[in-house]
Every structure is written in C-alpha cells, then in structure tokens.
Amino acid sequence: MTLIDGKGTAAAIRGELKERTVAFEAKSGRKAGLGVVIIGDDSASQVYVRNKTKACEEVGIRSVTKSLPADISQEEAERAVEALCSDPSMDGILVQLPLPRHLDERKLLAKIPVEKDVDGFSEYNLGLLAMNRRGTVACTPLGIMELLRRYRIDVGGKDAVVVGRSNIVGRPMALLFLNDDATVTVCHSHTKDLCSVCRKADILVAAVGKAKFIKADMVKEGAVVIDVGMDRDENGKLCGDVDFDTVKEKASFITPVPGGVGPMTVAMLLSNVVEAAEKTLK
Ligand code: GUN
C-alpha cells in the first residue's frame, strides 16, 4: 500500500505557485487577490477560511475576508458579495459554504462573475465541465485529479465509483473521471446494494460525510481509495469517511485524513486564483 501524501504534494504546489505570483506581481504591479465571504459562526468553516487565508499569504496572494453575521438578510449578503466582486484587485471571490439556512445559496453565488468564480461552483463552470470544456473546476475534485496525476494513477478505462453526489464534490468528481475516460458510477443514499457497487471500483472516492462509512468489505483488493471526509469518530478525533485502519490493508493507494485531500483543496483554490489573476493580463 502506498500512502498518498496530500500534505507534501500541496506544499510542493504552493512552492510552484509562489513563482507564478511573483511573476504576476512583476507584470501587473499588484498582488493577485482573493476575496472571501464567511457568514455566521460555523466553527469548521472558520478553520477552513483561516487555512485558506494563511495559505494565500504563504504564496503571495493578498486575501481580504468579510465576516458577516449569521442573521444577515439576503439583500445585505448579496450587496456585500457584489461590493467585493466589483473590486478590480480581487481576482477571485469565494463564499464559504454552508450558509445559514435562511439564505438562498444559489442566488448569492450567482452574484459572483464567472471569471472570478475560483471555487468553480457557478452553473456556467459546472456546465462547461459537463460538456468536457475547459473552465474553473471545484477545488476538491480538482485536487484529487492532481494527486492521481502526480502519483501516475491512470484513470482511463478504470471503473471509478464516487460515493456522494453534492454539487461541490461528487458531481464534478464524476464528470472529471468521465472526461478522462473512466467508467463512472455515482452512488448516493438511494443506491441499492452500495457494498457490491463499491467493491467493483478500481478507484473509489468517498464523499459521504459519515465517519468511517467505507469498510474493508466494500473495497476491492488493490483499489485506489480517496477519502474526502472530515469527520469526528466516537472519541471526537478527526477521521475520514473511510475506515482507514482496515481499508489500508486492501488498497493499493490510499489518502489519509488529515493530510490527504484537505490540503489539496486549499492548494487548488490558490491555483485557481493565480489562473484567474493571470487571465486579467491577457
Ligand atoms: N465548504 C466546503 N468545501 C468548500 C469549498 O471548497 N469552498 C467553499 N466556498 N465552501 C466549502
């Protein structure tokens, strides 16, 4: 079994991006910029946003965070997003999810212009992906493809199974695999006999949000196992959607939690910001 080192890979990518931000600043006379909107006080979201802004600083991206109260109205939230978007020094805009329940996520995200949609959550960017055309791809699935590429794990012709169908992970992940010629199955809460579907996977991606949900009997000998989960086990310890200790005995490659997919999500966000900034020079 080979442990896929997301933490180390993400650090290498940040090093590569640093060179590009320096070149961008030399050409444009300003730093690449990321505007972050966080609404409410979800503690996990606050940790994620802090990780993102810290990583920005490390690679030379200027980040501006707008923290808005949980009880903000839809109109006020939209105005705050629009104000950040209209700042020409902000190359990318990110609205941290999930939002407080009373807010309309679709309407709020629609305020972000496509060229600043560094999360790739817009209908336009997801539509481009669905049609196998180049656009901005959501950071988590993009980070998984980058890990597979750097570990020379070929996707073409493989049976890829994605557990979870969210707009931000499962769906774009399935489309990326399909675009790279995998045979793709997407599983969800209505899937019959999840176990036997997962057991057919050459590449298994778990994006369910349930601690240690994927057990060893759901994994084929030699499968590549990618864990998107960020869960807590019965002792409150951080773990993934995969029962790592037993599954690692069967997998050929596996990502740990923490130190697997998580740091790659942040690295791909930075990469999408640098791409967006570089496009403003053309
Ligand atoms: N919430 C969970 N993952 C993400 C992400 O990649 N981007 C944003 N904006 N919110 C998230």
Side-chain angles (χ1 to χ4, degrees):
M1 181 274 295
T2 301
L3 192 65
I4 297 181
D5 178 12
K7 193 174 170 199
T9 306
I13 291 169
R14 289 198 300 276
E16 295 159 20
L17 290 172
K18 175 111 202 158
E19 295 176 19
R20 285 168 65 186
T21 62
V22 168
F24 174 80
E25 193 173 353
K27 277 198 197 125
S28 68
R30 66 173 180 87
K31 281 193 189 309
L34 172 67
V36 180
V37 176
I38 177 167
I39 306 178
D41 33 42
D42 181 73
S43 59
S45 288
Q46 284 175 349
V47 173
Y48 297 150
V49 165
R50 209 170 323 119
N51 287 342
K52 290 172 187 179
T53 55
K54 220 177 79 192
C56 279
E57 198 173 323
E58 185 194 327
V59 304
I61 294 170
R62 184 172 81 95
S63 76
V64 172
T65 303
K66 276 221 184 317
S67 294
L68 305 174
D71 61 356
I72 194 169
S73 69
Q74 180 75 28
E75 294 69 32
E76 277 182 284
E78 288 180 13
R79 266 201 297 277
V81 171
E82 280 172 328
L84 209 50
C85 290
S86 64
D87 179 342
S89 73
M90 293 288 109
D91 300 289
I93 304 293
L94 170 168
V95 175
Q96 186 65 29
L97 302 179
L99 296 174
R101 293 240 309 265
H102 69 281
L103 293 175
D104 184 333
E105 177 183 304
R106 207 169 67 90
K107 272 179 73 186
L108 192 59
L109 294 182
K111 296 295 170 192
I112 303 171
V114 170
E115 64 276 13
K116 297 194 179 194
D117 172 32
V118 285
D119 257 333
F121 291 172
S122 65
E123 290 159 6
Y124 187 80
N125 274 317
L126 196 54
L128 287 179
L129 186 63
M131 301 186 82
N132 197 9
R133 287 173 52 207
R134 283 179 69 93
T136 302
V137 177
C139 307
T140 299
L142 187 62
I144 291 168
M145 295 311 282
E146 188 62 22
L147 278 177
L148 296 176
R149 194 177 71 78
R150 290 187 186 228
Y151 278 81
R152 302 186 185 287
I153 298 165
D154 223 357
V155 169
K158 299 277 175 65
D159 284 321
V161 174
V162 180
V163 189
R165 57 175 163 178
S166 71
N167 289 343
I168 70 181
V169 182
R171 266 171 226 273
M173 184 79 259
L175 290 167
L176 284 167
F177 282 150
L178 184 62
N179 293 347
D180 272 3
D181 304 321
T183 302
V184 184
T185 307
V186 183
C187 300
H188 45 77
S189 52
H190 295 254
T191 298
K192 279 187 286 177
D193 201 359
L194 179 70
C195 229
S196 63
V197 178
C198 289
R199 252 199 317 264
K200 289 196 167 57
D202 300 310
I203 302 172
L204 179 63
V205 175
V208 207
K210 288 187 184 155
K212 302 182 184 179
F213 181 77
I214 302 290
K215 307 286 185 200
D217 65 349
M218 300 167 81
V219 177
K220 179 164 79 178
E221 196 71 46
V224 175
V225 179
I226 306 292
D227 191 346
V228 181
M230 283 279 249
D231 315 306
R232 299 270 165 192
D233 70 9
E234 59 281 5
N235 303 312
K237 192 168 158 266
L238 190 63
C239 71
D241 289 350
V242 175
D243 188 13
F244 183 86
D245 289 333
T246 59
V247 171
K248 76 175 196 301
E249 305 299 333
K250 291 178 99 175
S252 57
F253 291 85
I254 188 166
T255 62
V257 177
V261 172
M264 289 299 290
T265 296
V266 179
M268 293 300 104
L269 170 69
L270 305 174
S271 170
N272 284 348
V273 174
V274 173
E275 292 255 324
E278 288 170 347
K279 276 191 195 142
T280 67
L281 295 173
K282 285 185 192 137

